[in-house]
Each structure stands twice: as C-alpha cells, then as structure tokens.
Amino acid sequence: MNIYQPHLMTINKVIQETPDIKTFQLVFQDEEMREKFSFKAGQFAEYSAFGHGESTFCIASSPTRMDHIECCFRSVGKNTAGLFGLNEGDTLGFRGPYGNIFPLDKFKGKDLIFIGGGIALPPLRSVIWNILDQQEDFGHVSIVYGARTVEDLVYKRELDEWEQMPNVTVVKTVDPGGETPEWQGHVGFVPHILENDFAPSPDNAIAIICGPPIMIKFTFEALDRLGFKKNQLITTLENRMKCGLGKCGRCNIGSTYVCLDGPVFWAEELAKLPKEY
Ligand SMILES: Cc1cc2nc3c(=O)[nH]c(=O)nc-3n(C[C@H](O)[C@H](O)[C@H](O)COP(=O)(O)OP(=O)(O)OC[C@H]3O[C@@H](n4cnc5c(N)ncnc54)[C@H](O)[C@@H]3O)c2cc1C
Ligand code: FES
C-alpha cells in the first residue's frame, strides 16, 4: 500500500466564511472508508487539489458528528488556491488522520478557556463541539476569539450559537481599526482583552490556545500574569509540513517532529524545546 495515496472525497457543501476563507463539508467516496474512518479532536490531514499539491489542515469538525468531516482554510498559495477554486460536487484528495490529540480525559471537570486568533478557530472548533456535545463532563466553557477585522471572523453563525448556550461565554474582539459601526464586541488584541477585560480565573481551569506564533507568545505571557501555570496551557502548532508522517524532516523542532509528537503540546513541553517554533 502506498502511504502517500490519498482517499477521494466529494465536497458536499462549500461555505464562504470570509473573502479568502472557505469551509468544505466532505464525504468519502468509498463506502468502506465512510463507515470505518475515525479521528480525534486535534488531529490533522493532508488535503490535495489534483495538479496543485497538498496542504495540511486540521480536521475542523467534531468526532461526535461523523456524518461528514470539515476543513476550513485560507487561500494563501499554490495548493490552497487550487482548493479554493473547487465547487460543491468536486473531488479532492485526503490523507489522514495524523498527529496527536487534545487530551480530553485531562480536561474533564475543568473550566475550559479556548483562545483563538483568525484562521486558528478551526482546530479549536473540533474540540469545542466535542466538549459541548458532552457538556455534563466539563465545567464552564469560555471562547475568546479575535480577528483582524469583523470581515475576517470565521464561523460567525456558530459564535452566535455558542453565545446562546448555557454555561458558555463568548468574547469576540477585532484589532483596533477593524471594527464596523455595528460591531458589538471588543476592540483590541486577544492577549490584551484576555488580561484586561475578561481576566479568567486559573482555578481548576485549562486554557487551550491556537493562533499565529506571536499571538501564542503574548497570550502565554498574559495567562502567566493571570496566574496560570504551564501545565494549564495547551496549544497546537502549525509548523510547515509536507509528509505528515515523520519521513520528510520538514516539521521538526530539534528532535521533536510536530507531525508525530504534536501538533498538540502543553506549554511545559514547549518550554523544553529549542526556541525554533
Ligand atoms: C498541523 C497544521 C494544521 C493547519 N491547519 C490549517 C487550517 O485548518 N486552515 C488553514 O488555512 N491552514 C492551516 N494550516 C496552514 C496550511 O497548511 C498552509 O497555509 C498551507 O499548506 C499553504 O499551502 P499552499 O500550497 O497554498 O501555500 P504555499 O504555496 O506552500 O505557500 C504560500 C504562503 O503560505 C506560507 N505557508 C505555507 N505553509 C504554512 C504554514 N504551515 N504556516 C505558516 N505559513 C505557511 C508560505 O510561507 C507562503 O507565504 C495548518 C498547518 C499545520 C502544520
Ligand atoms: S511533515 Fe514530514 S517529517 Fe513531519
């Protein structure tokens, strides 16, 4: 068997999230794959537009909802532009799932604070829905989400849905200058809003962070000042990948392969790695 051979998937639905971000709802064309495929929140896959290449995206849907899987991606280069041009009914290639998972057993009974920036909400969305579908096992859920502008916020419909749910707090923010006259959320960078306006308690809490490296750095620092310890902070890294299988040596930080040992890491694990991420 060729480990690089993708499975074929049909795009059942396309959702235009922002001018350059789309969500695809996907189903396997092979009936056996439809029945046997499984994954856990935090894992990623390689998605190919034929003739363009492959890209790594997280699986953005929840393992508690297996009628289809979803990815959400920004068009930034060759392959993502190829994928962006596909329509409902078209076929793409899929390899996965790969990588480690969010340790939901360690989240049980805790208050959970999800903190995401921009296109980094999709990896969190998988675990958010996973937890909200089993809400009785977890404490309060907070979702702090920021984007450059109101137009750049993804999953707007789900942010509204989460806001209406019991035991869930949603804090939305856009960068200064990114607001519109109708904007009802906060204005300011995520770490600033987190520390000054929201200020979550570290008691019996875990913060799950995903975003660009600079946002992760400043968010870790803000949470540290709020009293969170490194074993209360978990993140998922987006180092560039190619094979996803530990073979090409493209994603490593020192001797750690993000595709095999991650992409999910506790802050205390990251603190031991060379400062390359
Ligand atoms: C574990 C993981 C999960 C990811 N999940 C998502 C997701 O859910 N949605 C999403 O839109 N993107 C995600 N990414 C980033 C995504 O893989 C890249 O944006 C994509 O592969 C770019 O492919 P391309 O061929 O279009 O771009 P290329 O033509 O290869 O490059 C275009 C531009 O994108 C930059 N680029 C390429 N890959 C990355 C990367 N990994 N990080 C930062 N910059 C990059 C290049 O430097 C260049 O500026 C994830 C990456 C990883 C490793
Ligand atoms: S992506 Fe190839 S070794 Fe990790």
Side-chain angles (χ1 to χ4, degrees):
M1 192 195 130
N2 181 348
I3 53 171
Y4 297 106
Q5 186 172 337
H7 296 283
L8 301 182
M9 297 196 87
T10 301
I11 304 170
N12 256 7
K13 189 169 178 190
V14 177
I15 301 166
Q16 184 94 36
E17 302 280 354
T18 75
D20 60 355
I21 298 177
K22 281 184 178 174
T23 287
F24 284 170
Q25 289 184 0
L26 303 164
V27 286
F28 287 102
Q29 293 178 359
D30 181 64
E31 201 176 321
E32 198 188 332
M33 275 303 287
R34 273 205 297 275
E35 276 161 24
K36 79 172 190 205
F37 180 77
S38 68
F39 73 99
K40 295 218 161 109
Q43 290 194 289
F44 66 89
E46 295 294 329
Y47 301 77
S48 42
F50 299 116
H52 295 275
E54 277 190 318
S55 285
T56 312
F57 308 139
C58 68
I59 301 177
S61 47
S62 168
T64 50
R65 301 172 181 209
M66 286 301 286
D67 52 325
H68 62 260
I69 67 161
E70 289 188 24
C71 66
C72 175
F73 64 96
R74 171 174 278 136
S75 177
V76 292
K78 188 170 180 302
N79 185 57
T80 46
L83 288 169
F84 206 77
L86 298 180
N87 296 307
E88 288 175 7
D90 286 345
T91 296
L92 56 70
F94 174 97
R95 291 194 288 125
Y98 301 129
N100 69 350
I101 61 175
F102 282 106
L104 294 202
D105 51 324
K106 294 205 168 70
F107 294 0
K108 285 199 173 151
K110 309 256 185 207
D111 290 340
L112 300 172
I113 302 133
F114 292 93
I115 306 163
I119 185 67
L121 193 56
L124 298 182
R125 176 186 182 251
S126 175
V127 66
I128 289 172
W129 274 124
N130 196 155
I131 277 161
L132 294 179
D133 284 344
Q134 302 167 331
Q135 218 175 349
E136 60 286 356
D137 292 338
F138 302 92
H140 189 88
V141 170
S142 304
I143 300 161
V144 183
Y145 175 51
R148 272 176 305 193
T149 70
V150 175
E151 194 178 50
D152 291 316
L153 293 162
V154 298
Y155 299 134
K156 291 187 184 72
R157 63 205 171 277
E158 295 190 7
L159 290 165
D160 292 342
E161 189 180 343
W162 290 333
E163 222 160 9
Q164 305 304 319
M165 293 179 78
N167 220 13
V168 178
T169 303
V170 175
V171 178
K172 290 177 286 193
T173 185
V174 294
D175 292 355
E179 68 273 29
T180 56
E182 303 77 36
W183 175 242
Q184 309 249 317
H186 294 262
V187 177
F189 297 112
V190 167
H192 179 84
I193 298 299
L194 186 71
E195 191 172 358
N196 295 283
D197 297 6
F198 182 50
S201 163
D203 295 343
N204 195 37
I206 289 181
I208 303 120
I209 304 119
C210 189
I214 190 76
M215 183 211 128
I216 294 180
K217 177 181 181 315
F218 286 117
T219 302
F220 275 6
E221 288 174 9
L223 289 165
D224 179 63
R225 287 191 291 273
L226 287 167
F228 283 77
K229 303 275 177 283
K230 284 195 170 58
N231 62 5
Q232 292 177 280
L233 310 181
I234 191 163
T235 187
T236 167
L237 298 184
E238 295 204 344
N239 285 35
R240 293 196 70 168
M241 292 187 188
K242 192 166 172 68
C243 68
L245 293 163
K247 300 210 177 288
C248 71
R250 180 108 167 238
C251 69
N252 67 302
I253 308 169
S255 59
T256 298
Y257 285 82
V258 176
C259 66
L260 294 181
D261 306 311
V264 176
F265 292 94
W266 291 96
E268 56 188 352
E269 295 174 304
L270 290 181
K272 293 179 195 145
L273 297 178
K275 294 282 167 243
E276 294 170 10
Y277 60 88

